[in-house]
């Protein structure tokens, strides 16, 4: 009955697939052993790093195209020494925070209105349909014409890039509340505003936090594009400036730092999610 | 056919000649047509009928969640207008609030009362005890099994102290064994905390076991086809299913249902 060589789980219990279906490294939609998971989760990174080190150490590619880890490390050290790395990071992070916050402050109330009230859905239906696939990157020249190349223009690009989608996603988060959950609160004598506050909002908060996590990711993309086109500081600007001097190591450093900052934001929001919504975790 | 005049005097819930249409993709569906039902104070009434005959529609109308079209619904002689705490509902789907603990779910309807927070907790714990879930007061709904969740939903519905409790196939999603336990439990809780119940079910045995009266409905458009009293003594205990009285009533209800389904050729689940 039970498969002895299977180390990943106990003997099949009622309601779960039998051990033979769950064993091995590729069970369909089932857990694998924590060790296999840990190994798999770092292996691609390690292989990529190893290939990179191998290729650059052997001098198989011109360092102008692909610098080695040492060159990037040196670039980092010198940029930390002269303070540019810090000012660039602060400039970019500041723009992200303000741009994304502006978008969110506007998107949350509007998303709540559209998700909860048909009238608002109807009001914004056509405007949203017209603007949601607007190519924001193509608006960069126009925004520069309007308000120059300062921080405000960066806020504006981030806002234009995230706002409409954020509104739609928050409206969807709100609409995910099951109708009967709302009805049951009505039968307890709750008014519609109380239902909004005590049922719809708490139910949709986890989804809204996830929306935040995704939109911050987009904000990064739009910021870097905006900085590449026109800026005096920031990680995107640094990458662009480095290209002029063929300082490929600085380009790679910029990319790596953007990646790390994005990952830190993502992980902290995931951590916050688990902290705030312990009730979402259990059960499968 | 129509309820007698003496019955009408003390009726807790009275629905008269309800008609309801739904617009579905251009065409209209007649869900109810001349539907009438009466429930006495503290009576347990079961409602059975073929799938799609308008049982849920009727409960939603009593709860005030669906608008009336034609006919009247009186609760204590007053027409219903919108949902209110005097009419509670237990849905077939899980409607527990996932972000609240089991205890806070049961407290939820009590937040509208004048009790202090400590009193609310005591009352809620009392109902959790009645459904045997005091140990899970601090758990979240996601940590419970389907049957346990429905028990919490029942405790919560009783905690709201409605004068009419509407139950729409509350055990429909449960396996036969859990369902049997839930029926016994509901029977006990109801015998402790009397309230008028309208209980919709597909399970004829369940209807006979729990109710004082069974309303059998026709296929859509739904009307009451026959009203069958269940004059078996309470408290009802295990073993009731084998008594000749029980078997006779069950047979009668099944025949009625079968003739409706055969006449309309619509297969019914379970
Ligand atoms: N909101 C709605 N919009 C359109 N049609 C509806 C709506 N609600 C119910 N109906 C229709 O009304 C009829 C009765 O539905 P209802 O849900 O009351 O049936 P039911 O007796 O509860 O069935 P079941 O036993 O399968 O739960 C069905 O034909 C259904 O399609
Ligand atoms: Mg139904």
């Amino acid at each position: 009955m039970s498969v002895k060589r299977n180390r990943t789980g106990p003997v099949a219990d009622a309601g779960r697939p039998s051990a033979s279906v769950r064993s091995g490294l590729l069970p369909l939609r089932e857990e694998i052993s924590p060790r296999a998971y840990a190994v798999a989760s770092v292996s691609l990174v390690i292989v990529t790093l190893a290939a990179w080190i191998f290729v650059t150490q052997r001098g198989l590619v011109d360092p102008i195209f692909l610098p080695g880890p040492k060159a990037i490390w040196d670039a980092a050290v010198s940029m930390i020494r002269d303070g540019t790395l810090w000012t660039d990071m602060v400039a970019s992070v500041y723009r992200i925070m303000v741009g994304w916050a502006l978008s969110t402050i506007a998107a949350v109330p509007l998303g709540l209105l559209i998700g909860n009230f048909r009238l608002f859905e109807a009001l914004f239906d056509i405007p949203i349909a017209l603007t949601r696939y607007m190519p924001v990157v193509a608006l960069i020249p126009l925004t520069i014409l309007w308000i120059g190349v300062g921080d405000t223009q960066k806020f504006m690009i981030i806002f234009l890039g995230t706002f409409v989608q954020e509104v739609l996603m928050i409206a969807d988060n709100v609409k995910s509340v099951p109708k009967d959950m709302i009805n049951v609160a009505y039968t307890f004598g709750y008014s519609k505003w109380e239902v909004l506050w005590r049922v719809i909002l708490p139910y949709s908060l986890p989804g809204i936090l996830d929306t935040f996590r995704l939109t911050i990711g987009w904000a990064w993309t739009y910021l870097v594009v905006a900085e590449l086109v026109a800026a005096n500081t920031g990680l995107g600007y640094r990458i662009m400036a480095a290209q002029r001097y063929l300082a490929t190591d600085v380009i790679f450093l910029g990319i790596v730092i953007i990646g790390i900052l994005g990952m830190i934001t993502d992980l902290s929001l995931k951590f916050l999610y688990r902290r705030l919504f312990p009730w979402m975790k259990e059960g499968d | 056919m129509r309820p007698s005049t003496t019955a009408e005097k003390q009726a807790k819930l009275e629905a008269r000649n309800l008609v309801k249409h739904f617009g579905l993709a251009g065409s209209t569906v007649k869900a109810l047509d001349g539907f009438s039902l009466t429930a006495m104070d503290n009576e347990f009434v079961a409602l059975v009928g073929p799938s799609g005959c308008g049982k849920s529609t009727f409960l939603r109308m009593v709860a005030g969640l669906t608008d009336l079209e034609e006919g009247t619904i009186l609760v204590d002689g007053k027409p219903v207008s919108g949902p209110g705490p005097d009419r509670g509902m237990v849905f077939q789907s899980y409607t527990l609030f996932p972000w609240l603990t089991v205890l806070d779910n049961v407290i939820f309807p009590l937040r509208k009362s004048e009790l202090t927070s400590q009193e609310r907790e005591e009352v809620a714990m009392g109902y959790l005890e009645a459904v045997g879930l005091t140990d899970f007061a601090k758990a979240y709904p996601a940590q419970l099994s389907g049957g346990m969740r429905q028990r919490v939903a029942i405790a919560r519905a009783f905690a709201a102290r409605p004068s009419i409790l509407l139950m729409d196939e509350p055990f429909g999603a449960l396996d036969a064994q859990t369902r049997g336990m839930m029926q016994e439990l509901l029977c006990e809780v109801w015998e402790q905390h009397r309230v008028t119940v309208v209980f919709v079910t597909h399970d004829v045995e369940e209807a006979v076991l729990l109710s004082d009266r069974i309303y059998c409905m026709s296929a859509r458009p739904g009307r009451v086809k026959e009203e069958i009293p269940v004059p078996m003594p309470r408290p009802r205990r295990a073993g009731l299913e084998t008594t000749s009285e029980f078997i006779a009533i069950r047979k009668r209800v099944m025949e009625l249902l079968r003739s409706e389904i055969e006449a309309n050729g619509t297969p019914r689940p379970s």
Side-chain angles (χ1 to χ4, degrees):
Chain A
M1 175 86 194
S2 76
V3 183
K4 270 277 119 68
R5 65 189 149 76
N6 168 29
R7 288 175 291 110
T8 58
V11 180
D13 47 300
R16 306 210 65 200
S18 71
S20 61
V21 173
R22 281 188 290 134
S23 67
L25 287 174
L26 294 173
L28 194 60
R29 298 278 312 262
E30 292 286 340
E31 287 301 322
I32 55 172
S33 79
R35 231 186 74 205
Y37 195 96
V39 170
S41 67
V42 292
S43 54
L44 272 185
V45 180
I46 290 174
V47 168
T48 312
L49 283 177
W52 178 37
I53 291 168
F54 176 79
V55 163
T56 48
Q57 288 259 312
R58 288 294 177 92
L60 296 179
V61 279
D62 191 331
I64 294 259
F65 296 126
L66 184 64
K70 178 77 172 61
I72 291 175
W73 177 254
D74 291 343
V77 171
S78 84
M79 279 177 70
I80 290 170
R81 287 237 174 84
D82 67 12
T84 45
L85 186 64
W86 181 246
T87 45
D88 285 336
M89 264 170 56
V90 169
S92 289
V93 169
Y94 166 72
R95 290 165 186 160
I96 289 280
M97 303 266 254
V98 177
W100 177 81
L102 289 174
S103 166
T104 301
I105 287 168
V108 168
L110 190 57
L112 290 179
L113 286 174
I114 291 176
N116 281 309
F117 303 103
R118 287 290 182 167
L119 185 69
F120 283 92
E121 189 177 319
L123 264 179
F124 289 96
D125 194 23
I126 295 171
I128 284 180
L130 284 175
T131 48
R132 70 183 292 194
Y133 296 115
M134 179 177 65
V136 175
V137 175
L139 293 178
I140 292 179
L142 197 60
T143 56
I144 294 176
L145 212 64
W146 284 341
I147 47 178
V149 296
D151 283 348
T152 322
Q153 184 254 347
K154 308 294 172 297
F155 303 155
M156 194 165 185
I157 286 298
I158 294 173
F159 186 95
L160 290 172
T162 50
F163 176 69
V164 176
Q165 295 292 342
E166 197 174 2
V167 167
L168 286 173
M169 286 167 76
I170 288 173
D172 272 348
N173 296 144
V174 170
K175 282 186 192 167
S176 70
V177 183
K179 199 68 201 288
D180 281 343
M181 201 172 280
I182 295 171
N183 283 338
V184 88
Y186 280 134
T187 66
F188 296 143
Y190 281 67
S191 71
K192 83 177 174 195
W193 299 111
E194 287 171 321
V195 167
L196 184 59
W197 180 248
R198 296 217 177 268
V199 179
I200 295 181
L201 226 49
Y203 187 94
S204 39
L205 273 183
I208 291 177
L209 189 65
D210 250 343
T211 297
F212 288 171
R213 199 165 56 82
L214 290 173
T215 48
I216 289 182
W218 302 340
W220 266 109
T221 312
Y222 286 112
L223 173 78
V224 172
V225 173
E227 284 179 346
L228 284 174
V229 174
N232 308 317
T233 48
L235 294 166
Y237 159 77
R238 191 60 56 201
I239 289 171
M240 201 61 203
Q243 186 224 2
R244 278 182 218 137
Y245 311 110
L246 291 180
T248 330
D249 44 359
V250 176
I251 296 183
F252 272 86
L253 179 66
I255 293 169
V256 168
I257 287 181
I258 291 169
I260 290 174
L261 288 177
M263 195 175 79
I264 290 174
T265 329
D266 202 70
L267 288 179
S268 4
L269 283 171
K270 277 185 178 160
F271 176 77
L272 189 69
Y273 185 98
R274 278 200 295 274
R275 263 318 183 60
L276 289 178
F277 314 119
W279 47 273
M280 287 291 292
K281 270 277 287 170
E282 277 79 16
D284 41 334
Chain B
M1 195 80 212
R2 296 264 289 113
S4 68
T5 38
T6 48
E8 262 172 285
K9 251 178 213 148
Q10 329 126 353
K12 180 80 200 169
L13 167 69
E14 181 160 14
R16 272 193 234 129
N17 295 317
L18 301 179
V19 178
K20 182 77 187 177
H21 292 86
F22 284 108
L24 258 184
S27 66
T28 54
V29 171
K30 196 176 210 174
L32 292 174
D33 187 14
F35 178 92
S36 300
L37 174 149
T38 309
M40 298 297 131
D41 201 18
N42 291 345
E43 191 183 20
F44 199 120
V45 166
L47 189 57
V48 297
S51 186
C53 72
K55 304 181 293 293
S56 302
T57 305
F58 169 65
L59 287 196
R60 281 167 191 276
M61 285 167 117
V62 177
L65 299 169
T66 297
D67 287 335
L68 290 187
E69 194 178 297
E70 257 178 60
T72 43
I73 296 179
L74 303 175
V75 171
D76 290 321
K78 287 187 283 292
V80 302
S81 61
D86 57 328
R87 283 150 293 137
M89 184 135 171
V90 178
F91 296 83
Q92 178 175 356
S93 60
Y94 298 130
T95 54
L96 295 184
F97 304 117
W99 63 95
L100 296 178
T101 61
V102 164
L103 179 62
D104 286 333
N105 262 284
V106 182
I107 289 176
F108 190 87
L110 298 165
R111 294 226 285 239
K112 306 253 39 173
S113 71
E114 258 133 54
L115 302 174
T116 66
S117 64
Q118 204 195 332
E119 286 167 335
R120 283 174 203 170
E121 197 172 318
E122 278 165 17
V123 172
M125 281 308 275
Y127 286 102
L128 279 182
E129 201 180 332
V131 297
L133 283 177
T134 41
D135 289 349
F136 289 86
K138 293 273 175 276
Y140 287 106
Q143 296 166 308
L144 306 182
S145 72
M148 287 156 96
R149 285 182 212 173
Q150 223 43 347
R151 277 194 268 166
V152 180
I154 288 169
R156 184 178 63 175
F158 272 95
R161 305 249 64 200
S163 64
I164 298 177
L165 190 52
L166 308 160
M167 305 183 91
D168 194 355
E169 299 186 48
F171 311 142
L174 306 177
D175 61 275
Q177 225 174 333
T178 316
R179 181 184 266 247
M181 277 163 50
M182 297 291 291
Q183 289 160 358
E184 267 172 49
L185 184 108
L186 177 64
C187 228
E188 266 171 44
V189 176
W190 181 74
E191 275 156 13
Q192 265 177 55
H193 309 272
R194 283 295 176 112
V195 53
T196 307
V197 177
V198 183
F199 189 98
V200 167
T201 180
H202 270 129
D203 182 337
V204 173
E205 209 151 292
E206 182 170 89
V208 183
L209 204 63
L210 293 172
S211 71
D212 300 317
R213 207 140 46 104
I214 301 174
Y215 282 91
C216 283
M217 287 179 71
S218 68
R220 192 182 56 231
R223 322 165 267 104
V224 170
K225 208 177 153 198
E226 198 163 322
E227 196 187 312
I228 298 163
V230 186
M232 289 189 296
R234 291 183 188 273
R236 294 185 183 166
R237 281 169 303 271
L240 194 73
E241 296 93 323
T242 52
T243 62
S244 57
E245 204 179 3
F246 184 97
I247 292 168
I249 298 172
R250 188 186 62 188
K251 186 157 166 269
R252 178 81 195 107
V253 178
M254 283 198 163
E255 277 167 8
L256 278 167
L257 277 180
R258 199 166 298 135
S259 69
E260 266 315 305
I261 291 156
E262 273 160 13
N264 286 273
T266 36
R268 186 177 60 96
S270 95

